[in-house]
Amino acid sequence: MTESDRREVTQVWRPTRLRLREAYLAAAVPVIACLAGLCGLTAWAASGAAGTPPRIAVDDGRVFLPYADKENTAAFFRISNLGGADDQLISVTSPAVEQVMLSRHQSTGTGADSMNMTDPVDIPAGGTVDMSPFGVDVMVKVKERWQAGQVVPFVLHFRHSMPVETIAIVVRPGS
C-alpha cells in the first residue's frame, strides 16, 4: 500500500467534525426526553397528585343480638379509607357464623322494605362508609346463641387492600 492509499483510507474512516456533532445530537435527544419525563413524574409525585394506595381502617363493629329463635341477624362496621385510591369491600368472613353476605336495605315505597344481596361496596379515597340497618350491612346466619356483650371475630376482604381482621360486639337492636 502506498502512502497516498493510506491517507485516502485514513481520511475515509476519520470522523469529521460534522459527523461528531450529528452523533452527539442523535444521542442527546433521547437523553433529554428521558430527563424531562423523569423531572415531570418527580414533580407530579411530590405534589401528591400521584396518590397513595388505599389504607383501610375498620372500627365500631357491632352485630345485632338475634331475637326470639331467629338465626339471622346483621353486623355493621365503620370502614375508613385513609389512602389516596378507591377500594371495594368484596366479602366478609367469620368463623363464628354459618353464612355471610353483603346486603343493602331498600325501601319499596309501599311501606314494605327488602334486603337484597349487593355488589362490592365502594370505599372512596379519603372517605368513610358507615354501615347501618338502613343502608349497607352484613347479613349473617349464626351458628349458636349469642349473649349481649359477646365478641364476634370478622375478616373484611377488599379488592386492593389486605384483609382486615376486626371484631363486632353483640348488641341489642336499637342500642
Side-chain angles (χ1 to χ4, degrees):
M1 203 186 262
T2 66
E3 186 66 32
S4 65
D5 290 339
R6 273 190 225 143
R7 268 191 245 131
E8 192 176 306
V9 168
T10 305
Q11 288 178 354
V12 170
W13 295 105
R14 182 182 300 172
T16 63
R17 208 172 255 187
L18 179 62
R19 285 187 184 166
L20 285 174
R21 192 172 123 215
E22 288 174 352
Y24 287 133
L25 285 175
V29 169
V31 170
I32 291 170
C34 287
L35 287 174
L38 183 61
C39 290
L41 287 173
T42 302
W44 182 53
S47 71
T52 58
R55 283 192 353 244
I56 301 296
V58 179
D59 61 359
D60 196 27
R62 52 202 158 70
V63 60
F64 284 161
L65 180 67
Y67 61 93
D69 288 330
K70 304 291 183 189
E71 297 176 327
N72 295 328
T73 189
F76 312 95
F77 302 95
R78 178 181 299 126
I79 306 169
S80 301
N81 183 349
L82 308 172
D86 296 345
D87 207 343
Q88 289 183 322
L89 174 64
I90 56 174
S91 68
V92 178
T93 58
S94 173
V97 300
E98 286 184 26
Q99 293 177 327
V100 181
M101 114 176 145
L102 290 172
S103 65
R104 184 176 304 274
H105 176 267
Q106 294 177 328
S107 176
T108 61
T110 61
D113 294 345
S114 66
M115 295 295 287
N116 297 316
M117 192 167 116
T118 187
D119 293 331
V121 178
D122 293 330
I123 315 295
T128 299
V129 171
D130 282 316
M131 294 183 170
S132 76
F134 308 105
V136 175
D137 61 25
V138 179
M139 294 299 296
V140 297
K141 182 175 182 181
V142 301
K143 287 183 180 178
E144 57 191 44
R145 295 297 298 164
W146 291 338
Q147 301 294 322
Q150 186 175 342
V151 174
V152 181
F154 285 90
V155 179
L156 282 67
H157 302 270
F158 298 89
R159 185 163 314 281
H160 303 292
S161 301
M162 296 296 295
V164 175
E165 294 181 13
T166 189
I167 59 168
I169 307 296
V170 177
V171 299
R172 295 190 186 282
S175 62

